Amino acid sequence: MRLGAAAQTPPRPGPPSAAPPPPKEGHQEGLVELPASFRELLTFFCTNATIHGAIRLVCSRGNRLKTTSWGLLSLGALVALCWQLGLLFQRHWHRPVLMAVSVHSERKLLPLVTLCDGNPRRPSPVLRHLELLDEFARENIDSLYNVNLSKGRAALSATVPRHEPPFHLDREIRLQRLSHSGSRVRVGFRLCNSTGGDCFYRSYTSGVVAVQDWYHFHYVDILALLPAAWEDSHGSQDGHFVLSCSYDGLDCQARQFRTFHHPTYGSCYTVDGVWTAQRPGITHGVGLVLRVEQQPHLPLLSTLAGIRVMVHGRNHTPFLGHHSFSVRPGTEATISIREDEVHRLGSPYGHCTTGGEGVEVELLHNTSYTRQACLVSCFQQLMVETCSCGYYLHPLPAGAEYCSSAQHPAWGHCFYRLYQDLETHRLPCTSRCPRPCRESAFKLSTGTSRWPSAKSAGWTLATLGEQGLPRQSHRQRSNLAKINIVYQELNYHSVEEAPVYSVPQLLSAMGSLCSLWFGASVLSLLELLELLLDASALTLVLSGHRLCRAWFSWPRASPASGASNIKPEASQMPTPAGGTSDDPEPSGPHLPRVMLPGVLAGVSAEESWAGPRPLETLDT
């Protein structure tokens, strides 16, 4: 690095020049040149920059009022720009999204429909245990409400299997009247841990709900004694639950039904036909005639008389306790379906998964990923880890066993504690189970009417009697239900998430703000960057120059005589030409060129003189 115009003689005392002298002939321009001062750097920037208002800081130098005013205006505009850019980046970092709704029209496959008769059967291996539970329930209800319930079933001693699993009915868990809340009486039961030191009450203001929940707890405890390989018969009411089925005028086939037995909702049928909806309307949907006779298998488990219906996607587990609804007997219900497709953005805009990828929870259901299936699997795994056993109504992880009082006496206390934490979102299952990035949501609307009508009841019931409906029943209308499942319209809504501030939109917003406050463009920002780089480089060069001058002007100690100060005579100071100088100059050391380190090694000897010098330009 060297001076742009090197002087041939040392500077003389006198008034400083107003401007740097022009370079002499033969001066070669350096690759990188820096101004000699920050004032010159700022003047050059304000004169040549494309940012609006910068020239006002220079051209109005003779008027301090204008210079100060424009300086304050520029500073205020800079503050406003930084503030708005901060708000913009803050919103961008929050990753907001907007929902774009579009309407499409195409043929759609009918979703799956699961129907349950609401009559859970008594498993044969635990018949005697359920009889003991019914007797215990009658005792509790009689003590609370003075109601003497007669036995709803005949004695089953003849059908009790010879080898019964071991069973212990915990009579400490009984229904109690807990407290009076005004005109309401709270009823519930108490659960304690294995040591009896931690107890809590499950209380209800409704006695019906209290009896059902209490009975359901003991019922699940008994079902856990069933053998792992035991399966109940899936037939319902001697195989006459579905009296007729048709789609678009054609009869359904037996292979288009999948059956299973639910411990709470009874025998269930899933209509699994691969049918494409051609047109909306009742005549182009699925029509079912169902038999809904109520059997007194487990009268304390459910108080509903009707059919449980759930519409769900293909290869999805039907969670009847969360998303199902009931259809009353003696009616014709038309279920109209409207499908919406939801497309969510993944990271960093949201937390969703595609097909269960990246989910920490292992699904226990052998079906496609849904959030409900993930939550159930997460809860079951946490229960196995916390309570050392699993809940009977959910699938088991490998190597686990179901909870029963015979093996785990305090499992009820652990289960209800954990379930309460799940309801209050204190378990990590909500964060571990993201929503699917793409899923179908079914919106249902139902209309009902009395069926069959009084005028058509005679011949309708007569024809249905040939298909298995008992003729001796005098209230046959209450044992029937008709369900139509149709598409309300073939148009479906697609709801897609889109980022509010994508990278192009963010750059566009930044450009609008820069243009609003400074009239700046990308090249203007590069000019600012160049100003910062030049200022940093000039700071380093001037700081290094001052450090070197201070270092070489510091008194040196003689190696032989110790710390002695050596001051060269003025007559022995080398001149720029190489001789001695007799001219009276301002006192100050002269640094030979070869002794300047680093970037200052190329500075000529004249530049090390102290005293007033004209402004010059540094170049490299």
Side-chain angles (χ1 to χ4, degrees):
M1 183 176 292
R2 59 187 176 81
L3 286 172
Q8 299 299 326
T9 59
R12 302 288 184 178
S17 57
K24 293 184 178 181
E25 296 181 0
H27 168 72
Q28 295 181 356
E29 183 180 0
L31 180 61
V32 178
E33 293 188 357
L34 295 175
S37 64
F38 291 102
R39 184 185 185 89
E40 184 178 344
L41 176 63
L42 185 60
T43 301
F44 177 80
F45 173 78
C46 294
T47 306
N48 299 278
T50 58
I51 297 178
H52 294 180
I55 189 64
R56 292 287 185 177
L57 300 176
V58 179
C59 67
S60 59
R61 184 178 299 174
N63 192 331
R64 293 186 177 181
L65 179 60
K66 288 186 177 182
T67 304
T68 304
S69 300
W70 279 102
L72 293 177
L73 288 175
S74 300
L75 181 61
L78 179 61
V79 171
L81 175 63
C82 294
W83 174 62
Q84 290 195 340
L85 287 177
L87 295 178
L88 179 64
F89 278 106
Q90 183 180 9
R91 291 195 62 189
H92 174 70
W93 289 331
H94 287 168
R95 306 295 181 182
V97 296
L98 54 86
M99 307 297 291
V101 181
S102 57
V103 180
H104 305 271
S105 179
E106 61 182 24
R107 297 178 180 178
K108 301 288 291 185
L109 288 175
L110 279 173
L112 301 187
V113 181
T114 298
L115 311 164
C116 298
D117 60 3
N119 291 319
R121 295 196 169 191
R122 293 172 176 256
S124 56
V126 291
L127 286 177
R128 180 58 182 168
H129 305 331
L130 293 176
E131 285 293 319
L132 294 176
L133 176 59
D134 289 344
E135 293 178 3
F136 187 41
R138 285 191 291 269
E139 294 176 6
N140 282 264
I141 296 176
D142 184 38
S143 63
L144 288 176
Y145 303 104
N146 297 323
V147 177
N148 187 11
L149 298 178
S150 60
K151 291 186 178 182
R153 294 175 52 84
L156 298 175
S157 57
T159 59
V160 173
R162 296 180 180 179
H163 302 286
E164 295 181 355
F167 171 66
H168 170 69
L169 181 62
D170 192 353
R171 293 184 173 271
E172 296 294 329
I173 305 177
R174 59 184 303 115
L175 288 172
Q176 306 175 36
R177 183 175 280 106
L178 301 178
S179 63
H180 293 267
S181 177
S183 59
R184 296 183 179 181
V185 179
R186 300 189 68 87
V187 181
F189 53 95
R190 188 180 69 166
L191 296 166
C192 297
N193 60 355
S194 57
T195 62
D198 182 16
C199 298
F200 70 95
Y201 288 88
R202 292 279 295 180
S203 61
Y204 309 86
T205 56
S206 172
V208 175
V209 178
V211 171
Q212 289 180 342
D213 195 15
W214 174 84
Y215 189 91
H216 187 269
F217 166 73
H218 288 286
Y219 173 67
V220 172
D221 183 44
I222 295 175
L223 292 183
L225 302 175
L226 292 173
W230 183 86
E231 292 183 2
D232 194 4
S233 175
H234 295 325
S236 173
Q237 302 163 359
D238 300 329
H240 297 296
F241 174 58
V242 181
L243 297 180
S244 67
C245 173
S246 63
Y247 170 73
D248 204 8
L250 302 177
D251 292 337
C252 304
Q253 305 296 325
R255 56 183 174 81
Q256 295 171 337
F257 289 91
R258 290 189 286 110
T259 61
F260 64 94
H261 187 81
H262 194 276
T264 305
Y265 299 103
S267 297
C268 301
Y269 287 71
T270 298
V271 184
D272 191 11
V274 184
W275 296 316
T276 302
Q278 305 289 340
R279 292 179 295 274
I282 296 180
T283 58
H284 303 286
V286 179
L288 298 165
V289 177
L290 307 174
R291 176 183 174 186
V292 290
E293 278 191 3
Q294 295 297 301
Q295 300 293 334
H297 295 308
L298 294 167
L300 296 179
L301 195 63
S302 176
T303 58
L304 296 178
I307 301 172
R308 204 74 177 178
V309 182
M310 179 179 175
V311 179
H312 55 93
R314 296 185 173 274
N315 200 24
H316 289 174
T317 303
F319 293 97
L320 298 167
H322 296 84
H323 306 290
S324 61
F325 59 95
S326 298
V327 174
R328 61 178 296 184
T331 60
E332 178 181 1
T334 301
I335 303 173
S336 300
I337 303 174
R338 194 185 73 183
E339 183 176 356
D340 291 341
E341 290 187 357
V342 182
H343 301 265
R344 299 182 178 91
L345 293 176
S347 179
Y349 297 97
H351 187 39
C352 68
T353 179
T354 302
E357 297 180 358
V359 179
E360 302 176 3
V361 180
E362 180 182 358
L363 293 184
L364 301 179
H365 299 85
N366 189 22
T367 54
S368 300
Y369 177 87
T370 59
R371 196 179 190 217
Q372 189 62 43
C374 180
L375 290 174
V376 169
S377 302
C378 177
F379 177 79
Q380 184 76 315
Q381 293 173 5
L382 288 177
M383 187 170 177
V384 171
E385 296 174 2
T386 307
C387 309
S388 302
C389 58
Y391 189 54
Y392 180 77
L393 297 183
H394 304 326
L396 275 179
E401 61 180 358
Y402 287 118
C403 296
S404 65
S405 298
Q407 301 294 331
H408 310 87
W411 76 268
H413 176 274
C414 181
F415 166 75
Y416 281 109
R417 286 287 194 195
L418 201 65
Y419 190 75
Q420 184 178 5
D421 291 341
L422 178 67
E423 290 180 332
T424 55
H425 303 285
R426 285 183 287 183
L427 292 183
C429 294
T430 303
S431 59
R432 291 181 182 178
C433 295
R435 295 184 180 275
C437 293
R438 182 172 181 175
E439 65 176 340
S440 295
F442 300 102
K443 296 183 177 180
L444 309 178
S445 58
T446 306
T448 59
S449 60
R450 187 178 180 182
W451 183 87
S453 63
K455 296 181 179 180
S456 61
W459 68 268
T460 302
L461 297 176
T463 57
L464 291 176
E466 297 181 357
Q467 303 179 26
L469 187 66
R471 292 178 178 271
Q472 66 272 16
S473 176
H474 63 282
R475 298 179 61 188
Q476 291 178 339
R477 179 185 289 112
S478 62
N479 298 331
L480 292 175
K482 185 176 181 181
I483 298 178
N484 302 310
I485 304 167
V486 299
Y487 262 108
Q488 181 178 356
E489 54 183 16
L490 295 183
N491 297 333
Y492 67 95
H493 295 80
S494 178
V495 184
E496 298 183 5
E497 288 185 349
V500 175
Y501 288 107
S502 61
V503 174
Q505 291 170 335
L506 178 64
L507 294 177
S508 177
M510 291 174 58
S512 299
L513 291 177
C514 293
S515 178
L516 172 65
W517 293 105
F518 283 100
S521 62
V522 175
L523 296 181
S524 302
L525 298 179
L526 295 179
E527 290 176 352
L528 283 174
L529 179 61
E530 181 186 12
L531 174 65
L532 295 177
L533 294 177
D534 289 346
S536 301
L538 183 59
T539 302
L540 292 176
V541 171
L542 295 180
S543 300
H545 194 186
R546 291 183 179 180
L547 288 176
C548 289
R549 289 179 59 186
W551 173 262
F552 286 104
S553 64
W554 191 263
R556 295 285 180 168
S558 175
S561 60
S564 61
N565 295 333
I566 301 176
K567 295 183 180 180
E569 298 292 339
S571 60
Q572 297 178 356
M573 295 295 293
T575 62
T580 60
S581 174
D582 296 332
D583 299 330
E585 297 290 348
S587 60
H590 173 75
L591 304 179
R593 179 176 180 177
V594 294
M595 296 181 63
L596 294 178
V599 297
L600 300 178
V603 180
S604 59
E606 297 90 320
E607 298 168 356
S608 63
W609 288 89
R613 299 186 302 273
L615 295 176
E616 298 175 344
T617 303
L618 297 174
D619 61 76
T620 58

